[in-house]
Each structure stands twice: as C-alpha cells, then as structure tokens.
Amino acid sequence: MKLLLLPGDGIGPEVLAETRRVINVLNAHHGLGLDVETGDIGGASIERHGTSLTASVLDLARASHAVLMGAVGGPQWADMAFELRPEQGLLNLRKGLGLFANLRPAYCFDALADASTLKRGVIEGLDILIVRELIGGVYFGEPRGIEILPDGTRRGFNTQSYTTAEIERVARTAFDLARQRDSRVCSVEKANVMESGVVWRETVTALQASEYPDVALSHMYADNCAMQLVRNPRQFDVILTDNLFGDILSDEAGMLTGSLGMLPSAALGETGAPGLYEPIHGSAPDIAGKGVANPCAAILSLAMALRYQLGRPDLAALTETAVSEVLNAGYRTADLLGGEGSCVVGTQGMGRAIAERLSA
Ligand code: IPM
Ligand code: MG
C-alpha cells in the first residue's frame, strides 16, 4: 500500500512529522507495510514550483492508495488572486481525485469533555458524523466572478447549483455510513429560500424511499441545524449537507468537542479512487513553527485512512485507542488545556506518547 504525504503549510509539516512517527511504529511493530512518499501542496508548492499543485503531485496522488495532507494557506499568500492561492491546490486535488464525499466526525473523547465551551452534560458521549458534499455547490458553480458596474462599483457573484446525480452520490455515502452507526440521517439545506435546496431535499427523500427504507431520514434548514448543534448536539447521528453549509457546520460541530486540534476528516470518491485524509484544523499560522500544535487530528486522519482505505480497521482502532489512552493519562497540548492534572506537551511530546503506546 502506498500513502502520499502532503505536509503543506503552517503547522502541516509539524503534525505530519508525528503522523510519520506513528506510521513507522505501525510498520515496525504491527506489519502495516505502508510505503510513504512525500510531495508539495499549497504555499509550499507555490514557493518551490510556482503553483499550488503540480501535475506530477496530482499524478502521484492518483497512483497512491490514500493521500494524507497537513494543511494549506497562510497570511503571506492571502493577497493573491483566488486561482493562485494555496487553497486552490487543495480544491484542485479534491476535484482532480473526484472526492465528492467529505466525512467529518465530531467525537468527544471522554477525557476532553471539560475542554468544550459547552457544559459536559451536553457534549459527553457526542458522536456525530457530518457528510459534506465536496466538489460541487457554490465553491465550484459557474458563473462566478467580480464585475465592475457602470457606476464604477463592483459586483461579486457565485453560483450555487446541485444536480440530481451530484446529490445522489453523496447521499448514498451518508446512508451507507449511517447503516454502520445509528441508521439516522438528517439532511440539511435551505429549501425554504433556495431552488438547489428544493432539489436537494426531494432527491434525498426519493433515494431514501427507494434504496434506504431502513435508514431514518429527517430534514433541517441549515440555520436551525447551526442552532440545534449547540442546543442539543447529541440528537444527530449522520448529518448530510452541501459544500458550503458543511464547511460551516463542521467547524461548529468540531468545536463542540473541545478543540479543532482533535478532528480528522476523510474525502472519498468512487470505490477504488484514492481518498484524501486531513486534519480539519487548517494551517494555524499563529502557532506554526513553535512546536505546540496538536498532532492528534492528523494521527486520527491516518486512522481513518487505515479504516476506510488501507484495509486495516484493526490498526485504526488501535491508533484511536492509543490517542484516547494518552488523553486519559493527562497529556494535553496547549489547545486542550482546562482538564485537571494535565501534563502539558508539545507536538513531539504528544506524538511520542502515542507512538510509545503503539510500540508497547
Ligand atoms: C475546509 C477548509 C477549506 C474549505 C479551505 C481551506 C479551502 O475550510 O476544508 O473546511 O473551505 O473547504
Ligand atoms: Mg472549513
């Protein structure tokens, strides 16, 4: 099995170095046999190759079983045109690999229930899976642009659009995953104001009736969903939503668990296509290079790859248990403070603690 590592920008290289440490241990002690290659993406790729994603890295990704990315973006590239920015490399990679389904679990580790800004009683035992459509909607819709109006002022515009086929394929992923959990899907859109939302709701409803009668389907408007996530997040099992709402709601759901530093994600395409696994925390330029970033999200992203793509659900579970044990033992990176009796560690300290448990 081949894994492509794309460290990228900001804290990306730091957290992927710890993930690499975990891979080494799984290779040495658990017969994983994973071949690792490394490539550039985002700002790192802009600096070295003049573009946020080269054709050769995309080819390398296509030839791998899975891709693990750190993060892209940073203030030094923020003034560039959209098509030149680091983020474009990520969007092109998602699009280039056809990764239409983005899985973003929000899971509350018991040891971290007090790290949330919400009360323990509200988030204890939280286990939500957001399935976000990833290569359609307003992120990619045409026409888009900025035009100058006759009076010299400007108009910025984007297009939200979803076809039946785009909705059905991501909805199937959500329904299939729900069957492995609590068999409940809540589909989220704004059918009260958007035509794309009407098509979304009707398509999901028809698909459930014809192919997934055993899965319970409910619908919610996106604004209500944002509110319900902080009011009573445990009401949800799988949330199925579009690209933009999914971007927003997954950050919100993530923070319920105490820190974005704990949350992995997977982007999946058609069966057999390599998936893209990434921590959802982003490049965090404010703490980059300081050795304090939390590597757990990246390590848990590796666990998702082991489960969904690399055929080693046993090692996925082992890795997740190691993370959980390290948290139970009191290890905390700076983003996770607030717990009692904490042992504050940096990026490497956390990575080492997890790797040690895996080699024991
Ligand atoms: C995410 C990020 C990306 C997105 C950015 C970096 C393009 O916010 O993965 O959630 O908006 O999809
Ligand atoms: Mg986001």
Side-chain angles (χ1 to χ4, degrees):
M1 291 282 185
K2 251 187 163 166
L3 177 73
L4 176 63
L5 289 187
L6 302 174
D9 308 323
I11 61 173
E14 295 163 62
V15 298
L16 281 206
E18 297 315 307
T19 311
R20 185 68 203 256
R21 192 195 297 277
V22 168
I23 293 170
N24 291 345
V25 170
L26 293 176
N27 275 343
H29 295 265
H30 299 277
L32 175 58
L34 195 59
D35 258 349
V36 178
E37 271 185 281
T38 303
D40 290 320
I41 193 168
S45 177
I46 294 176
E47 302 308 324
R48 276 186 216 123
H49 316 287
T51 170
S52 57
L53 180 71
T54 61
S56 70
V57 168
L58 183 56
D59 283 344
L60 217 54
R62 288 200 175 107
S64 306
H65 291 94
V67 181
L68 188 61
M69 198 196 79
V72 292
Q76 59 271 56
W77 304 288
D79 295 330
M80 298 173 87
F82 278 122
E83 58 280 12
L84 301 176
R85 278 188 205 176
E87 287 83 353
Q88 196 60 43
L90 173 58
L91 296 179
N92 288 342
L93 186 62
R94 289 172 177 170
K95 192 78 168 176
L97 296 175
L99 306 174
F100 56 80
N102 190 198
L103 282 44
R104 299 192 159 190
Y107 174 86
C108 184
F109 285 88
D110 217 34
L112 297 182
D114 292 314
S116 175
T117 46
L118 295 196
K119 296 192 188 82
R120 174 181 267 275
V122 178
I123 46 104
E124 214 165 23
L126 181 78
D127 184 5
I128 301 177
L129 177 64
I130 296 188
V131 178
R132 166 194 178 191
E133 199 291 326
L134 200 57
I135 50 175
V138 75
Y139 271 56
F140 293 93
E142 298 283 346
R144 64 187 294 163
I146 299 177
E147 64 179 19
I148 312 286
L149 298 173
D151 69 355
T153 60
R154 300 189 301 162
R155 185 176 85 97
F157 56 98
N158 294 86
T159 302
Q160 164 79 336
S161 106
Y162 272 107
T163 63
T164 306
E166 285 174 320
I167 300 164
E168 280 181 345
R169 64 183 181 182
V170 69
R172 278 201 181 90
T173 303
F175 284 126
D176 286 338
L177 290 166
R179 278 180 172 160
Q180 300 166 31
R181 301 168 46 99
D182 199 32
S183 287
R184 293 184 292 123
V185 170
C186 179
S187 172
V188 172
E189 25 61 9
K190 284 282 286 181
N192 51 345
V193 287
M194 296 164 78
E195 282 79 1
S196 59
V198 172
V199 175
W200 183 283
R201 184 175 289 221
E202 292 176 0
T203 303
V204 173
T205 302
L207 185 71
Q208 185 270 344
S210 64
E211 293 179 29
Y212 297 93
D214 53 309
V215 179
L217 173 66
S218 60
H219 303 274
M220 205 178 263
Y221 296 138
D223 52 346
N224 184 27
C225 182
M227 187 271 278
Q228 295 295 338
L229 272 173
V230 284
R231 192 184 74 87
N232 176 20
R234 280 180 310 209
Q235 70 185 281
F236 297 107
D237 180 27
V238 174
I239 293 176
L240 164 65
T241 191
D242 77 8
N243 204 344
L244 182 60
F245 295 142
D247 181 44
I248 298 166
L249 295 174
S250 62
D251 265 28
E252 188 191 0
M255 201 56 214
L256 299 176
T257 68
S259 171
L260 290 187
M262 292 303 302
L263 295 170
S265 76
L268 305 177
E270 300 299 345
T271 317
L276 172 64
Y277 298 80
E278 45 171 316
I280 83 161
H281 50 57
S283 60
D286 52 322
I287 57 165
K290 296 187 178 157
V292 298
N294 185 349
C296 287
I299 292 167
L300 292 168
S301 297
L302 170 71
M304 288 186 91
L306 291 168
R307 171 168 297 117
Y308 290 113
Q309 211 132 32
L310 302 173
R312 294 303 300 265
D314 56 328
L315 296 187
L318 208 65
T319 304
E320 287 160 355
T321 304
V323 170
S324 177
E325 283 173 4
V326 164
L327 295 172
N328 289 341
Y331 287 84
R332 298 285 185 276
T333 40
D335 55 307
L336 299 176
L337 288 185
E340 305 264 303
S342 302
C343 159
V344 182
V345 288
T347 311
Q348 296 189 354
M350 185 62 103
R352 268 192 227 113
I354 294 166
E356 263 162 34
R357 270 176 183 62
L358 288 168
S359 58

